[in-house]
Coordinates of all heavy atoms in Angstrom, one line a residue:
M1 N 208.2 47.1 -212.2 CA 208.4 46.9 -210.8 C 207.4 45.9 -210.2 O 206.2 46.1 -210.5 CB 208.4 48.3 -210.1 CG 208.9 48.3 -208.7 SD 210.6 47.9 -208.6 CE 211.3 49.3 -209.4
V2 N 207.8 45.1 -209.4 CA 207.0 44.2 -208.6 C 206.4 44.7 -207.4 O 207.1 45.5 -206.7 CB 207.6 42.8 -208.4 CG1 206.8 41.9 -207.5 CG2 207.9 42.1 -209.7
Y3 N 205.2 44.4 -207.0 CA 204.6 44.9 -205.7 C 204.6 43.8 -204.7 O 204.5 42.6 -205.0 CB 203.2 45.5 -205.9 CG 203.4 47.0 -206.3 CD1 203.8 47.3 -207.6 CD2 202.9 47.9 -205.6 CE1 204.0 48.6 -207.9 CE2 203.0 49.3 -205.8 CZ 203.5 49.5 -207.1 OH 203.7 50.9 -207.4
R4 N 204.6 44.2 -203.4 CA 204.3 43.2 -202.3 C 203.4 43.9 -201.3 O 203.2 45.1 -201.3 CB 205.7 42.8 -201.7 CG 206.4 43.9 -200.9 CD 207.7 43.4 -200.3 NE 208.5 44.4 -199.7 CZ 208.4 44.8 -198.5 NH1 207.5 44.2 -197.7 NH2 209.1 45.7 -198.0
I5 N 202.9 43.1 -200.5 CA 202.1 43.5 -199.4 C 202.7 43.5 -198.0 O 203.2 42.5 -197.7 CB 200.7 42.7 -199.3 CG1 200.0 42.9 -200.7 CG2 199.8 43.1 -198.2 CD1 198.7 42.0 -200.8
T6 N 202.7 44.6 -197.3 CA 203.4 44.6 -196.0 C 202.5 44.2 -194.8 O 201.3 44.0 -195.1 CB 203.9 46.1 -195.7 OG1 202.7 46.9 -195.4 CG2 204.5 46.7 -197.0
S7 N 203.2 44.2 -193.7 CA 202.4 43.8 -192.5 C 201.3 44.8 -192.1 O 200.5 44.6 -191.2 CB 203.3 43.6 -191.3 OG 204.1 44.8 -191.0
E8 N 201.3 45.9 -192.8 CA 200.2 46.9 -192.5 C 199.0 46.4 -193.0 O 197.8 46.9 -192.8 CB 200.5 48.2 -193.3 CG 201.8 48.9 -192.8 CD 201.6 49.4 -191.4 OE1 200.7 50.0 -191.0 OE2 202.6 49.0 -190.6
C9 N 198.8 45.3 -193.8 CA 197.6 44.7 -194.4 C 196.7 44.3 -193.3 O 197.1 43.7 -192.3 CB 197.9 43.5 -195.2 SG 196.6 42.6 -195.9
I10 N 195.4 44.8 -193.4 CA 194.4 44.5 -192.5 C 193.4 43.4 -193.0 O 192.4 43.2 -192.5 CB 193.6 45.8 -192.1 CG1 193.0 46.5 -193.3 CG2 194.6 46.7 -191.3 CD1 192.1 47.6 -192.9
C11 N 193.8 42.8 -194.1 CA 193.0 41.7 -194.7 C 191.6 42.1 -195.1 O 190.6 41.4 -194.8 CB 193.0 40.5 -193.8 SG 194.5 39.7 -193.6
C12 N 191.4 43.4 -195.6 CA 190.1 43.9 -196.0 C 189.6 43.1 -197.2 O 188.4 43.0 -197.5 CB 190.0 45.3 -196.1 SG 191.0 45.9 -197.6
G13 N 190.6 42.7 -198.1 CA 190.3 41.9 -199.3 C 190.0 43.0 -200.5 O 189.6 42.4 -201.6
S14 N 190.2 44.2 -200.3 CA 189.9 45.1 -201.4 C 190.7 44.8 -202.7 O 190.2 44.9 -203.8 CB 190.2 46.6 -201.0 OG 189.4 46.9 -200.0
C15 N 192.0 44.4 -202.5 CA 192.9 44.2 -203.6 C 192.7 42.8 -204.4 O 192.9 42.7 -205.6 CB 194.3 44.2 -203.2 SG 194.7 42.9 -202.1
L16 N 192.1 41.9 -203.7 CA 192.1 40.6 -204.2 C 191.5 40.4 -205.6 O 192.2 39.7 -206.5 CB 191.2 39.7 -203.3 CG 191.3 38.1 -203.5 CD1 192.7 37.6 -203.4 CD2 190.4 37.4 -202.5
H17 N 190.4 41.0 -205.9 CA 189.8 40.9 -207.2 C 190.2 41.9 -208.2 O 189.6 42.0 -209.2 CB 188.3 40.7 -207.1 CG 187.9 39.5 -206.2 ND1 188.2 38.2 -206.6 CD2 187.5 39.4 -205.0 CE1 187.8 37.3 -205.7 NE2 187.3 38.0 -204.7
E18 N 191.1 42.9 -207.7 CA 191.4 44.0 -208.6 C 192.6 43.6 -209.5 O 193.0 44.1 -210.5 CB 191.8 45.1 -207.8 CG 190.7 45.8 -206.9 CD 189.5 46.2 -207.8 OE1 189.8 46.7 -208.9 OE2 188.4 46.1 -207.4
C19 N 193.4 42.6 -209.0 CA 194.6 42.2 -209.7 C 194.3 41.5 -211.0 O 193.6 40.5 -211.0 CB 195.5 41.2 -208.9 SG 197.0 40.7 -209.7
P20 N 194.7 42.1 -212.1 CA 194.4 41.4 -213.5 C 195.2 40.2 -213.8 O 194.7 39.4 -214.7 CB 194.9 42.6 -214.4 CG 196.0 43.3 -213.7 CD 195.6 43.2 -212.3
V21 N 196.1 39.9 -213.1 CA 196.9 38.6 -213.3 C 196.8 37.5 -212.2 O 197.4 36.6 -212.1 CB 198.4 38.8 -213.6 CG1 198.6 39.7 -214.8 CG2 199.0 39.5 -212.4
E22 N 195.8 37.8 -211.2 CA 195.5 36.9 -210.2 C 196.7 36.6 -209.4 O 197.0 35.4 -209.1 CB 194.7 35.7 -210.7 CG 193.4 36.0 -211.3 CD 192.7 34.8 -211.8 OE1 193.3 33.7 -211.8 OE2 191.6 35.0 -212.1
A23 N 197.5 37.6 -209.1 CA 198.7 37.3 -208.3 C 198.6 37.4 -206.7 O 199.4 37.0 -206.0 CB 199.8 38.4 -208.7
I24 N 197.4 37.8 -206.4 CA 197.2 38.0 -204.9 C 196.4 36.8 -204.3 O 195.4 36.4 -204.9 CB 196.4 39.4 -204.7 CG1 197.2 40.5 -205.3 CG2 196.2 39.6 -203.1 CD1 196.5 41.8 -205.2
T25 N 196.8 36.3 -203.2 CA 196.2 35.2 -202.5 C 196.0 35.6 -201.1 O 196.8 36.4 -200.5 CB 196.9 33.9 -202.6 OG1 198.2 34.1 -202.2 CG2 197.0 33.4 -204.1
E26 N 195.0 35.0 -200.5 CA 194.8 35.2 -199.0 C 195.5 34.1 -198.2 O 195.3 32.9 -198.4 CB 193.3 35.2 -198.8 CG 193.0 35.5 -197.3 CD 191.5 35.6 -197.1 OE1 190.7 35.3 -197.9 OE2 191.1 36.0 -195.9
E27 N 196.3 34.6 -197.3 CA 197.0 33.8 -196.3 C 196.5 34.1 -195.0 O 195.7 35.1 -194.8 CB 198.5 34.0 -196.3 CG 199.1 33.8 -197.7 CD 199.2 32.3 -198.2 OE1 199.1 31.5 -197.3 OE2 199.2 32.1 -199.4
P28 N 196.7 33.3 -193.9 CA 196.2 33.6 -192.6 C 196.7 35.0 -192.2 O 197.9 35.2 -192.2 CB 196.8 32.5 -191.7 CG 196.9 31.4 -192.7 CD 197.4 32.0 -194.0
E29 N 195.8 35.9 -191.9 CA 196.1 37.2 -191.4 C 196.8 38.2 -192.3 O 197.3 39.3 -191.8 CB 196.8 37.2 -190.0 CG 196.0 36.4 -189.0 CD 196.7 36.4 -187.7 OE1 197.6 37.2 -187.4 OE2 196.3 35.5 -186.8
I30 N 197.0 37.8 -193.6 CA 197.6 38.7 -194.5 C 197.3 38.3 -195.9 O 197.1 37.1 -196.2 CB 199.1 38.9 -194.3 CG1 199.7 40.1 -195.0 CG2 199.8 37.6 -194.8 CD1 201.2 40.4 -194.6
F31 N 197.4 39.2 -196.9 CA 197.3 38.9 -198.3 C 198.7 38.9 -198.9 O 199.6 39.7 -198.4 CB 196.4 39.8 -199.1 CG 194.9 39.6 -198.9 CD1 194.3 39.9 -197.7 CD2 194.2 39.0 -199.8 CE1 193.0 39.6 -197.4 CE2 192.8 38.6 -199.6 CZ 192.3 39.0 -198.4
V32 N 199.0 38.1 -199.8 CA 200.3 37.9 -200.4 C 200.3 38.1 -201.9 O 199.4 37.6 -202.7 CB 200.9 36.6 -200.0 CG1 202.2 36.3 -200.8 CG2 201.0 36.5 -198.5
I33 N 201.3 38.8 -202.5 CA 201.4 38.9 -203.9 C 202.5 37.9 -204.4 O 203.7 37.9 -203.9 CB 201.9 40.3 -204.3 CG1 200.7 41.3 -203.9 CG2 202.2 40.4 -205.8 CD1 201.1 42.8 -204.2
D34 N 202.2 37.2 -205.4 CA 203.2 36.3 -205.9 C 204.1 37.1 -206.8 O 203.7 37.5 -208.0 CB 202.5 35.2 -206.8 CG 203.5 34.1 -207.4 OD1 204.6 34.4 -207.5 OD2 202.9 33.0 -207.7
P35 N 205.4 37.2 -206.5 CA 206.3 38.0 -207.4 C 206.6 37.5 -208.8 O 207.1 38.1 -209.6 CB 207.7 38.0 -206.5 CG 207.5 36.8 -205.7 CD 206.1 36.6 -205.4
E36 N 206.3 36.2 -208.9 CA 206.4 35.6 -210.2 C 205.3 35.9 -211.2 O 205.3 35.9 -212.4 CB 206.6 34.0 -210.2 CG 207.8 33.7 -209.3 CD 209.1 34.2 -210.0 OE1 209.2 34.2 -211.3 OE2 210.0 34.6 -209.2
K37 N 204.2 36.3 -210.6 CA 203.0 36.6 -211.4 C 202.8 38.1 -211.6 O 202.3 38.6 -212.6 CB 201.7 36.1 -210.7 CG 201.5 34.6 -210.8 CD 200.2 34.1 -210.2 CE 200.0 32.6 -210.4 NZ 198.7 32.3 -209.8
C38 N 203.1 38.9 -210.5 CA 202.9 40.4 -210.6 C 203.7 41.0 -211.8 O 205.0 40.7 -211.8 CB 203.3 41.0 -209.2 SG 203.2 42.8 -209.3
N39 N 203.1 41.7 -212.5 CA 203.7 42.5 -213.7 C 203.5 44.0 -213.5 O 203.6 44.7 -214.6 CB 203.3 41.9 -215.0 CG 201.9 42.3 -215.3 OD1 201.1 42.8 -214.4 ND2 201.4 42.1 -216.5
D40 N 203.2 44.4 -212.4 CA 202.9 45.9 -212.1 C 201.8 46.4 -212.9 O 201.6 47.6 -213.2 CB 204.3 46.6 -212.5 CG 204.3 48.1 -211.9 OD1 203.6 48.3 -211.0 OD2 205.0 48.8 -212.6
C41 N 200.9 45.5 -213.3 CA 199.6 45.9 -214.1 C 200.0 46.3 -215.5 O 199.0 46.8 -216.1 CB 198.8 46.8 -213.3 SG 198.0 46.1 -211.8
V42 N 201.2 46.2 -215.9 CA 201.6 46.6 -217.3 C 200.8 46.0 -218.3 O 200.6 44.7 -218.3 CB 203.0 46.4 -217.5 CG1 203.5 46.7 -218.9 CG2 203.9 47.2 -216.6
G43 N 200.2 46.7 -219.2 CA 199.4 46.2 -220.2 C 197.9 46.1 -219.8 O 197.1 45.7 -220.6
H44 N 197.6 46.3 -218.6 CA 196.2 46.2 -218.1 C 195.7 47.6 -217.5 O 194.6 48.0 -218.0 CB 196.2 45.2 -216.9 CG 196.6 43.8 -217.3 ND1 195.7 43.0 -218.0 CD2 197.7 43.1 -217.2 CE1 196.3 41.8 -218.2 NE2 197.5 41.9 -217.8
F45 N 196.5 48.3 -216.7 CA 196.0 49.5 -216.2 C 197.3 50.6 -216.2 O 198.4 50.2 -216.2 CB 195.6 49.3 -214.7 CG 194.4 48.4 -214.6 CD1 194.5 47.1 -214.3 CD2 193.1 48.8 -214.9 CE1 193.4 46.2 -214.2 CE2 192.0 48.0 -214.8 CZ 192.2 46.7 -214.5
E46 N 196.9 51.8 -215.9 CA 198.0 52.9 -215.9 C 198.7 52.8 -214.6 O 199.8 53.3 -214.4 CB 197.3 54.2 -216.1 CG 196.7 54.4 -217.5 CD 197.8 54.5 -218.5 OE1 198.8 55.2 -218.3 OE2 197.6 54.0 -219.6
E47 N 198.1 52.3 -213.6 CA 198.8 52.3 -212.2 C 198.5 51.0 -211.6 O 197.4 50.3 -211.9 CB 198.3 53.4 -211.3 CG 196.7 53.3 -211.1 CD 196.2 54.4 -210.2 OE1 197.1 55.1 -209.5 OE2 195.2 54.8 -210.2
P48 N 199.3 50.5 -210.6 CA 199.1 49.2 -209.9 C 197.8 49.3 -209.2 O 197.6 50.1 -208.3 CB 200.3 49.1 -209.0 CG 201.4 50.0 -209.7 CD 200.5 51.1 -210.3
Q49 N 196.9 48.3 -209.5 CA 195.6 48.4 -209.0 C 195.5 48.0 -207.5 O 194.7 48.5 -206.7 CB 194.7 47.4 -209.7 CG 194.4 47.9 -211.1 CD 193.8 49.2 -211.2 OE1 192.6 49.4 -211.0 NE2 194.6 50.3 -211.6
C50 N 196.3 47.1 -207.1 CA 196.4 46.7 -205.6 C 196.7 48.0 -204.8 O 196.1 48.3 -203.7 CB 197.4 45.6 -205.3 SG 199.1 45.9 -205.8
A51 N 197.8 48.7 -205.2 CA 198.2 49.9 -204.5 C 197.1 51.1 -204.6 O 196.9 51.7 -203.6 CB 199.4 50.5 -205.0
A52 N 196.4 51.1 -205.7 CA 195.4 52.1 -205.9 C 194.2 51.9 -205.0 O 193.7 52.9 -204.5 CB 195.0 52.1 -207.3
V53 N 193.9 50.7 -204.7 CA 192.6 50.4 -203.8 C 193.0 50.2 -202.3 O 192.1 50.2 -201.6 CB 191.9 49.3 -204.4 CG1 191.4 49.5 -205.9 CG2 192.6 48.0 -204.2
C54 N 194.2 50.0 -202.1 CA 194.6 49.6 -200.7 C 194.3 50.9 -199.7 O 194.9 52.0 -200.0 CB 196.0 49.2 -200.5 SG 196.4 48.7 -198.8
G55 N 193.4 50.7 -198.7 CA 193.2 51.8 -197.8 C 194.2 52.1 -196.8 O 194.1 53.2 -196.1
V56 N 195.2 51.2 -196.6 CA 196.2 51.4 -195.6 C 197.6 51.5 -196.1 O 198.6 51.3 -195.4 CB 196.1 50.3 -194.5 CG1 194.8 50.4 -193.7 CG2 196.3 49.0 -195.0
D57 N 197.6 51.7 -197.5 CA 198.9 51.8 -198.1 C 199.8 50.6 -197.9 O 201.1 50.8 -197.6 CB 199.7 53.1 -197.8 CG 198.9 54.3 -198.3 OD1 198.2 54.1 -199.3 OD2 198.9 55.4 -197.6
A58 N 199.3 49.4 -197.9 CA 200.1 48.2 -197.6 C 200.7 47.6 -198.8 O 201.5 46.7 -198.7 CB 199.3 47.2 -196.8
C59 N 200.4 48.0 -200.0 CA 200.9 47.5 -201.3 C 202.0 48.5 -201.7 O 201.7 49.7 -202.1 CB 199.8 47.4 -202.3 SG 198.5 46.4 -201.8
I60 N 203.3 48.0 -201.7 CA 204.4 48.8 -202.1 C 205.3 48.2 -203.1 O 205.2 46.9 -203.2 CB 205.2 49.2 -200.8 CG1 205.9 47.9 -200.2 CG2 204.4 50.0 -199.8 CD1 206.9 48.2 -199.1
Q61 N 206.1 49.0 -203.7 CA 207.1 48.3 -204.7 C 208.1 47.5 -203.9 O 208.6 48.0 -202.9 CB 207.8 49.5 -205.4 CG 206.8 50.2 -206.4 CD 207.5 51.3 -207.1 OE1 208.3 52.0 -206.6 NE2 207.2 51.5 -208.3
D62 N 208.4 46.3 -204.5 CA 209.4 45.5 -203.8 C 210.7 45.6 -204.6 O 210.9 44.9 -205.5 CB 208.9 44.0 -203.9 CG 209.7 43.1 -203.1 OD1 210.7 43.5 -202.5 OD2 209.4 41.9 -203.0
F63 N 211.6 46.4 -204.0 CA 212.9 46.6 -204.7 C 213.8 45.4 -204.3 O 214.8 45.2 -205.1 CB 213.6 47.9 -204.1 CG 212.8 49.1 -204.5 CD1 212.0 49.7 -203.6 CD2 213.0 49.6 -205.7 CE1 211.2 50.8 -203.9 CE2 212.2 50.8 -206.1 CZ 211.4 51.4 -205.2
F64 N 213.5 44.6 -203.4 CA 214.4 43.6 -203.0 C 214.5 42.6 -204.1 O 215.6 42.0 -204.3 CB 213.9 42.9 -201.7 CG 214.7 41.7 -201.3 CD1 215.9 41.9 -200.7 CD2 214.3 40.4 -201.4 CE1 216.7 40.8 -200.3 CE2 215.0 39.3 -201.1 CZ 216.3 39.5 -200.5
K65 N 213.4 42.3 -204.8 CA 213.4 41.3 -205.8 C 214.6 41.6 -206.8 O 215.2 40.7 -207.5 CB 212.1 41.3 -206.6 CG 212.1 40.3 -207.7 CD 210.7 40.2 -208.3 CE 210.9 39.4 -209.7 NZ 210.1 38.2 -209.6
Y66 N 214.9 42.9 -207.0 CA 215.9 43.2 -208.1 C 217.3 43.4 -207.5 O 218.2 43.8 -208.2 CB 215.5 44.5 -208.7 CG 214.1 44.4 -209.4 CD1 213.0 44.6 -208.8 CD2 214.1 43.8 -210.7 CE1 211.7 44.5 -209.5 CE2 213.0 43.5 -211.3 CZ 211.7 43.9 -210.7 OH 210.6 43.6 -211.3
T67 N 217.4 43.1 -206.1 CA 218.9 43.2 -205.5 C 219.3 41.9 -205.2 O 220.4 41.7 -204.7 CB 218.8 44.1 -204.3 OG1 217.8 43.5 -203.4 CG2 218.4 45.5 -204.7
K68 N 218.6 40.8 -205.5 CA 219.0 39.5 -205.2 C 220.2 39.1 -206.0 O 220.3 39.5 -207.2 CB 217.9 38.4 -205.4 CG 216.8 38.4 -204.4 CD 215.8 37.4 -204.7 CE 214.6 37.6 -203.8 NZ 213.5 36.5 -204.1
Ligands
SF4_1 FE1 198.5 42.4 -209.4 FE2 199.0 44.8 -210.4 FE3 199.2 44.5 -207.7 FE4 201.0 43.3 -209.4 S1 200.7 45.6 -209.1 S2 199.9 42.4 -207.6 S3 199.8 42.8 -211.1 S4 197.3 44.4 -208.9

């Protein structure tokens, strides 16, 4: 499952360096996950690191990618 960052993001930067595949980038007023890079942390961690560290629960599973 791929993750994305919602508008709840407060740009604290906690997730930026936690991503093992460097899928997260900083955009103006929000952080963004590249869906082509995100692999749900499979092979790196037991749980998605961005979601684990996010203090406002802004990192969520992106079901839309699989319904296109
Ligand atoms: Fe990176 Fe893992 Fe978050 Fe995907 S789920 S953006 S691989 S930290």
Side-chain angles (χ1 to χ4, degrees):
M1 194 63 64
V2 170
Y3 274 68
R4 69 180 171 90
I5 296 173
T6 72
S7 60
E8 297 297 311
C9 175
I10 58 170
C11 296
C12 69
S14 296
C15 63
L16 189 60
H17 299 294
E18 300 299 328
C19 179
V21 296
E22 299 182 347
I24 303 173
T25 55
E26 184 176 9
E27 303 290 337
E29 300 184 20
I30 196 169
F31 281 75
V32 175
I33 295 174
D34 182 342
E36 299 301 322
K37 288 185 177 179
C38 175
N39 70 348
D40 197 21
C41 290
V42 172
H44 298 279
F45 298 98
E46 292 292 319
E47 61 180 340
Q49 294 300 285
C50 56
V53 301
C54 183
V56 294
D57 295 330
C59 300
I60 64 170
Q61 291 179 326
D62 187 359
F63 295 101
F64 179 71
K65 178 178 172 112
Y66 297 96
T67 58
K68 289 181 186 175

